[in-house]
Amino acid sequence: QVQLVESGGGLVQAGGSLRLSCVASGTLGSMNVMGWYRQAPGKQRELVAAAPSSGSTDYADSVKGRFTLSRDNAKNTVYLQMNSLEPEDTAVYYCNAVVVAPHRPPVNYWGPGTQVTVSS
């Protein structure tokens, strides 16, 4: 089992910055993907950014150049630095971890979510 706890959400004006953190407890194993999704009211949950334990990061087109995901594998922590925030970034942000074990299907874990509100 893996538990994810997010922090760092809040209210910020357009053009401002926020940094989200997500700490994973439990067994992630050596092969995993950690990242962030978001869900705005009335919309589907969408990928923001995700990175494997070793490899390159995928970003949604809408956040490229503004958001940066980083991982501290020793601390099982993933961060999302969000700069130049826009009102369209307002959403609940969810931390996600995918654990991959040999000969088993991948398992998804989700944090409870943290609200990010960007005022115009």
Side-chain angles (χ1 to χ4, degrees):
Q1 281 289 339
V2 173
Q3 291 80 41
L4 303 174
V5 178
E6 304 112 335
S7 60
L11 173 65
V12 65
Q13 288 188 333
S17 299
L18 283 174
R19 189 191 195 209
L20 305 183
S21 301
C22 172
V23 180
S25 60
T27 303
L28 281 177
S30 60
M31 296 176 60
N32 60 78
V33 178
M34 292 190 73
W36 294 90
Y37 286 70
R38 67 186 181 186
Q39 187 166 18
K43 294 188 177 181
Q44 288 189 327
R45 191 173 297 189
E46 62 176 2
L47 172 70
V48 177
S53 45
S54 60
S56 59
T57 302
D58 286 330
Y59 292 95
D61 288 342
S62 59
V63 307
K64 285 180 180 176
R66 301 188 297 122
F67 291 10
T68 302
L69 183 147
S70 59
R71 293 186 54 158
D72 185 336
N73 290 333
K75 296 181 179 180
N76 282 349
T77 301
V78 63
Y79 305 95
L80 186 68
Q81 178 66 44
M82 305 186 293
N83 299 328
S84 302
L85 282 160
E86 303 168 353
E88 292 73 23
D89 296 316
T90 295
V92 178
Y93 284 69
Y94 296 92
C95 181
N96 170 259
V98 182
V99 176
V100 181
H103 312 298
R104 294 193 172 192
V107 180
N108 261 286
Y109 296 94
W110 294 94
T114 185
Q115 177 71 45
V116 172
T117 303
V118 184
S119 63
S120 57

